[in-house]
Amino acid sequence: MAVTIKDIARRANVSITTVSRVINDKHDVSKETKENIKKIIKEMGYRPNEVARGLVTKKTYIIGLLIPDLRNPFYPEMATGLDDLARREGYSVIYYNTRKNAKEEQKAIELFKKKQVDGVVISMCNKTVRKKFKKRNEDEFPIIEIASNLRRIVNPTINIDNVGSACKATRYLIRNGHSKIGHIIGKRNTQPARHTLFGFKKCLKKNNVKLNKDWIKQGDYSKESGYKKMKEILKEDEKPTAVFAANDLMALGCYKAIHEMGLKIPDDISIIGHDDIEYSTYIIPTLTSMYLSMYELGKKSGEMLLRKINDNSNDNPENIIIEPKLIERESVKNLSTL
Amino acid sequence: MAVTIKDIARRANVSITTVSRVINDKHDVSKETKENIKKIIKEMGYRPNEVARGLVTKKTYIIGLLIPDLRNPFYPEMATGLDDLARREGYSVIYYNTRKNAKEEQKAIELFKKKQVDGVVISMCNKTVRKKFKKRNEDEFPIIEIASNLRRIVNPTINIDNVGSACKATRYLIRNGHSKIGHIIGKRNTQPARHTLFGFKKCLKKNNVKLNKDWIKQGDYSKESGYKKMKEILKEDEKPTAVFAANDLMALGCYKAIHEMGLKIPDDISIIGHDDIEYSTYIIPTLTSMYLSMYELGKKSGEMLLRKINDNSNDNPENIIIEPKLIERESVKNLSTL
DNA sequence: GTGAAAGCGCTAACAT
DNA sequence: ATGTTAGCGCTTTCAC
């Protein structure tokens, strides 16, 4: 058995309360006893049992993190940002990799509740789960939502301005003389995908560029889907001169497809990505993309969450909107100078 | 306040013991009361408090995972394997991203203890911490070590045969007619790095290939270091015709360096990696690498850990050795056919 | 089949 | 400055 507070108390000839006091750094303990107890704690290698502590304080110092897909570097990056912040403030994070599966998302939430986490950061795909979650939990534990893109903001939210971002990306292609533009979108049932598509279309219309539906394909944010969808696009009779991939992972897939078809980026076809993951500067040619710091996003979500955990003032939920920035690299060709 | 077992008991007009019984699926409860209680549980949205439960059962159903670097896709992959298995068996995993920092590793262990995790999976770099850890914990909680490569096996271990793997990779280059071979190793203070270097040297010697120390550079398993070290190699007066990078991430960095110097893979220089991360089939040219499934590794470590948690028989610790397989792709040129 | 009582390791009033 | 008591939400003997 591990040593408990009782063992320390016995050895120090004091009550467990006194021991508890020095553990928690309360002021009203005499210097002598305090030091004596500390010594004994060290000697016996005592470590307070957080489970017991949590039961009475109702704080576990655990944050739940719902991760849609651990294999997308997007999320480890975010998790790192959250973890760093949390750790600094004495919190640990427990993650649940849901694989974008609604059932798993549901289970993740159940789990977090059972585990009595102090708060949760979610970035879910499934609308229904999210709504249910909110309704039922209302005030059970603090939640920060990332990229939910919901109209009515109930929980504090960090949103990515996908409409604006898609617009910027598309405009960049147009400015570079492209008028035959394809788009590989994410899963249609997610808000970000819808918003991105909306921004894309809006920008085309605004600039009087014709939309060709054959060049719009639906992927699922994975490399594989980018690869497959790009191949489909390249099989069309008329091909676009540029393609906007809704994330860098799919853009990576595009690279592979294009290379396999014996074409060159950006000479034969231009690619622009989204998210600007680290890899994008390590592929050849380097990928032009829309940058947003997932690390920062994770960190910010942690800050907001902790604020909410400690304040408990449920009024006016914060709402942060992140606007991705265009990072010009080598994957887009300027046609207008020709 | 959340609803507790008491609330359910009161509503059902039974003792909390009975409620506890149905929660835990004990047999000796009459069908009627059981069903009634279940109904009420559902109605009130009751969820057992795992913290309270953990306090008495001394089980938290939490596994601690020490991750050296979340941003290396290697680890999310492994974490996914572990998570999947753990989840299936009713366990959650709490991770600690140590960033290969000895102090953080130390802290991670302290934390895991305080949190009363049921077991831990570690793959640490730091030898000292590891030893200390073992000595002090001996029987505190079950541990699985990954890639520790320690001589005396105390804990169950999953090892990667880095000596053999480096040998295979090197031999492959030699068979393809290469005799000027460089090597970018990982951090020298880690066992895997030492073993890999050892295997590399051993293979050269065995095949009477001269070792050129200028072509051996020390990186840190990051893309950046691969990039930098490759640049250094390419600045040497005499250049190797092939380079073996100790992991794919560094190989990726090599690609960038080589491209920037205006050279081509594999025509001007061949590259072989190690780990075979998913990206390696998505870069151009596709990377020849040594494959080992991190997902499987994570899963296996979970299986071993759970076995240890449940068995508690500390005798003859298991020891699994994984032997990476060569995956031929496009980044190595066959010089002998010239 | 069901309940009463004790206790897991700790904190938090309330005394002294 | 220190101890006594109660209790967090649950499981687990031990009775009945």
Side-chain angles (χ1 to χ4, degrees):
Chain A
M1 268 314 293
V3 13
T4 75
I5 197 169
K6 261 191 198 161
D7 303 317
I8 305 296
R10 206 173 302 135
R11 263 271 279 250
N13 267 317
V14 292
S15 74
I16 57 169
T17 313
T18 305
V19 178
S20 171
R21 279 189 186 109
V22 351
I23 293 168
N24 294 291
D25 246 329
K26 305 274 195 209
H27 39 280
D28 45 0
V29 182
S30 83
K31 224 176 179 179
E32 306 163 45
T33 41
K34 189 186 233 165
E35 266 160 24
N36 183 238
I37 289 172
K38 274 191 177 162
K39 209 187 82 203
I40 294 176
I41 285 179
K42 211 162 204 177
E43 272 174 28
M44 304 187 72
Y46 167 68
R47 242 174 297 272
N49 181 329
E50 292 275 338
V51 174
R53 194 181 250 176
L55 184 57
V56 21
T57 59
K58 309 218 161 309
K59 280 213 52 138
T60 52
Y61 287 94
I62 296 179
I63 289 173
L65 172 63
L66 199 151
I67 298 180
D69 178 14
L70 243 192
R71 294 182 184 196
N72 182 343
F74 199 84
Y75 293 107
E77 186 75 19
M78 190 189 109
T80 304
L82 176 61
D83 194 59
D84 282 359
L85 182 103
R87 204 67 72 197
R88 253 203 311 283
E89 305 289 331
Y91 288 78
S92 300
V93 6
I94 183 165
Y95 70 89
Y96 198 118
N97 187 23
T98 61
R99 306 156 159 274
K100 301 178 195 156
N101 177 325
K103 259 192 199 152
E104 290 296 317
E105 288 169 0
Q106 192 62 47
K107 277 201 209 158
I109 289 157
E110 307 273 314
L111 180 83
F112 289 151
K113 280 194 198 160
K114 287 201 283 194
K115 289 258 182 277
Q116 313 294 121
V117 302
D118 291 343
V120 168
V121 174
I122 59 176
S123 55
M124 286 198 277
C125 308
N126 193 286
K127 231 172 130 183
T128 332
V129 177
R130 209 192 309 129
K131 272 188 188 157
K132 214 157 124 194
F133 180 30
K134 270 189 207 159
K135 221 178 184 174
R136 297 223 320 235
N137 288 264
E138 214 59 88
D139 34 34
E140 276 217 48
F141 51 46
I143 304 161
I144 302 293
E145 282 194 68
I146 291 182
S148 75
N149 280 327
L150 272 195
R151 279 277 172 74
R152 284 194 312 133
I153 293 149
V154 182
N155 301 307
T157 311
I158 301 187
N159 271 320
I160 298 162
D161 177 15
N162 284 308
V163 176
S165 191
C167 240
K168 276 188 213 162
T170 312
R171 195 176 335 125
Y172 176 73
L173 295 175
I174 294 172
R175 280 223 191 107
N176 276 276
H178 293 272
S179 58
K180 296 163 154 194
I181 305 176
H183 180 26
I184 301 179
I185 64 176
K187 280 208 167 159
R188 260 231 178 68
N189 61 355
T190 65
Q191 287 283 341
R194 282 212 207 91
H195 284 207
T196 302
L197 182 59
F198 178 76
F200 173 71
K201 283 183 177 170
K202 190 176 124 188
C203 184
L204 290 188
K205 192 173 259 175
K206 206 168 135 191
N207 291 276
N208 294 313
V209 174
K210 221 186 96 204
L211 176 79
N212 184 335
K213 284 198 173 154
D214 293 337
W215 298 336
I216 298 187
K217 302 282 179 189
Q218 193 192 165
D220 63 3
Y221 293 120
S222 71
K223 296 191 282 298
E224 293 71 20
S225 74
Y227 171 75
K228 256 196 262 169
K229 297 305 163 180
M230 190 68 210
K231 281 241 158 150
E232 283 178 28
I233 289 176
L234 293 174
K235 273 179 198 140
E236 301 286 338
D237 291 333
E238 202 190 354
K239 294 174 196 34
T241 60
V243 168
F244 166 36
N247 75 345
D248 282 9
L249 236 38
M250 292 198 292
L252 238 176
C254 291
Y255 270 53
K256 188 181 170 80
I258 291 165
H259 179 250
E260 280 186 16
M261 301 290 273
L263 301 174
K264 285 254 174 285
I265 303 171
D267 292 329
D268 298 312
I269 188 161
S270 295
I271 298 287
I272 186 166
H274 196 281
D275 292 357
D276 196 39
I277 58 177
E278 260 190 85
Y279 293 89
S280 302
T281 64
Y282 276 83
I283 56 179
I284 301 160
T286 53
L287 178 68
T288 293
S289 186
M290 300 300 299
Y291 169 81
L292 73 160
S293 168
M294 285 309 287
Y295 182 89
E296 277 303 317
L297 212 160
K299 199 178 141 201
K300 278 221 179 90
S301 66
E303 285 166 358
M304 282 169 72
L305 184 60
L306 293 191
R307 221 174 294 140
K308 214 184 166 197
I309 287 173
N310 298 319
D311 270 35
N312 226 351
S313 62
N314 229 348
D315 357 303
N316 63 330
E318 289 181 82
N319 188 24
I320 292 179
I321 292 176
I322 291 180
E323 317 213 344
K325 280 201 289 282
L326 179 79
I327 307 288
E328 265 188 278
R329 284 195 278 258
E330 308 164 347
S331 62
V332 174
K333 189 179 184 181
N334 190 343
L335 297 179
S336 38
T337 58
L338 290 182
Chain B
M1 268 313 293
V3 12
T4 76
I5 197 171
K6 260 190 199 163
D7 302 317
I8 304 296
R10 205 172 303 138
R11 264 270 279 247
N13 267 316
V14 292
S15 72
I16 58 171
T17 314
T18 304
V19 178
S20 171
R21 278 189 187 109
V22 350
I23 292 168
N24 293 291
D25 247 328
K26 306 273 194 209
H27 39 283
D28 45 0
V29 181
S30 81
K31 225 178 182 177
E32 303 164 47
T33 42
K34 190 185 232 164
E35 266 161 25
N36 183 236
I37 289 172
K38 274 192 177 162
K39 209 187 84 204
I40 294 177
I41 286 179
K42 212 165 203 175
E43 269 174 29
M44 303 188 71
Y46 168 68
R47 244 173 296 272
N49 180 330
E50 292 275 338
V51 174
R53 194 182 249 175
L55 184 57
V56 21
T57 58
K58 309 226 162 306
K59 279 210 56 139
T60 52
Y61 287 95
I62 296 180
I63 289 173
L65 172 63
L66 200 150
I67 298 180
D69 178 15
L70 243 192
R71 294 182 184 195
N72 182 342
F74 200 83
Y75 293 108
E77 187 73 20
M78 189 189 110
T80 304
L82 176 60
D83 194 58
D84 281 359
L85 182 102
R87 203 68 72 195
R88 254 204 309 282
E89 305 289 332
Y91 288 78
S92 300
V93 5
I94 183 166
Y95 70 89
Y96 198 118
N97 187 23
T98 62
R99 306 155 157 275
K100 300 177 195 157
N101 178 325
K103 260 192 200 152
E104 289 296 317
E105 287 169 0
Q106 192 62 47
K107 277 200 210 161
I109 290 157
E110 305 274 314
L111 180 84
F112 288 151
K113 280 193 199 160
K114 287 201 283 192
K115 289 258 182 276
Q116 315 291 122
V117 302
D118 292 343
V120 169
V121 174
I122 60 178
S123 55
M124 285 199 278
C125 308
N126 193 287
K127 230 172 132 182
T128 333
V129 177
R130 209 191 310 128
K131 273 188 188 157
K132 214 159 125 194
F133 180 31
K134 269 189 209 159
K135 221 179 186 173
R136 298 221 322 233
N137 287 266
E138 214 60 87
D139 34 33
E140 275 217 49
F141 50 48
I143 304 162
I144 302 293
E145 282 193 68
I146 292 182
S148 76
N149 279 327
L150 273 194
R151 279 276 172 73
R152 286 194 309 134
I153 292 150
V154 182
N155 300 307
T157 312
I158 301 188
N159 272 319
I160 297 162
D161 177 16
N162 283 308
V163 176
S165 191
C167 240
K168 275 188 216 162
T170 312
R171 195 177 334 126
Y172 177 73
L173 294 175
I174 294 171
R175 281 224 191 106
N176 277 275
H178 294 272
S179 58
K180 297 165 153 191
I181 304 176
H183 180 25
I184 300 179
I185 64 177
K187 281 207 165 162
R188 259 230 180 69
N189 61 356
T190 64
Q191 288 282 343
R194 283 212 207 91
H195 284 206
T196 302
L197 181 59
F198 179 76
F200 173 72
K201 284 183 175 169
K202 189 176 123 189
C203 185
L204 290 189
K205 192 172 257 173
K206 205 167 136 192
N207 291 276
N208 293 313
V209 174
K210 221 186 96 204
L211 176 78
N212 183 335
K213 283 199 174 153
D214 294 337
W215 297 336
I216 298 187
K217 303 282 179 187
Q218 192 194 162
D220 62 3
Y221 294 120
S222 70
K223 296 190 284 297
E224 293 73 20
S225 74
Y227 171 75
K228 259 197 261 170
K229 297 304 163 181
M230 190 69 212
K231 281 239 158 153
E232 284 178 28
I233 290 176
L234 292 175
K235 274 180 196 139
E236 301 286 339
D237 291 333
E238 202 190 356
K239 293 174 198 31
T241 60
V243 168
F244 166 35
N247 75 344
D248 282 9
L249 235 38
M250 293 198 292
L252 237 176
C254 292
Y255 270 52
K256 188 181 169 79
I258 291 165
H259 178 249
E260 279 186 17
M261 302 291 271
L263 300 173
K264 285 253 173 286
I265 303 169
D267 292 329
D268 299 312
I269 188 161
S270 294
I271 298 286
I272 186 166
H274 196 281
D275 292 357
D276 196 39
I277 59 177
E278 260 189 86
Y279 292 88
S280 302
T281 62
Y282 275 84
I283 57 180
I284 301 159
T286 54
L287 178 67
T288 293
S289 185
M290 301 300 298
Y291 169 82
L292 72 161
S293 169
M294 285 308 288
Y295 181 90
E296 276 303 317
L297 213 159
K299 199 178 140 201
K300 278 221 179 89
S301 65
E303 284 165 0
M304 282 169 73
L305 184 60
L306 293 191
R307 220 174 294 140
K308 213 183 166 198
I309 288 173
N310 298 320
D311 270 34
N312 226 351
S313 62
N314 228 348
D315 357 303
N316 62 330
E318 289 181 82
N319 188 24
I320 292 179
I321 292 176
I322 291 180
E323 317 214 344
K325 280 202 289 283
L326 179 78
I327 307 289
E328 266 188 278
R329 284 196 278 260
E330 309 163 346
S331 62
V332 174
K333 189 178 182 178
N334 190 344
L335 297 179
S336 39
T337 57
L338 290 183

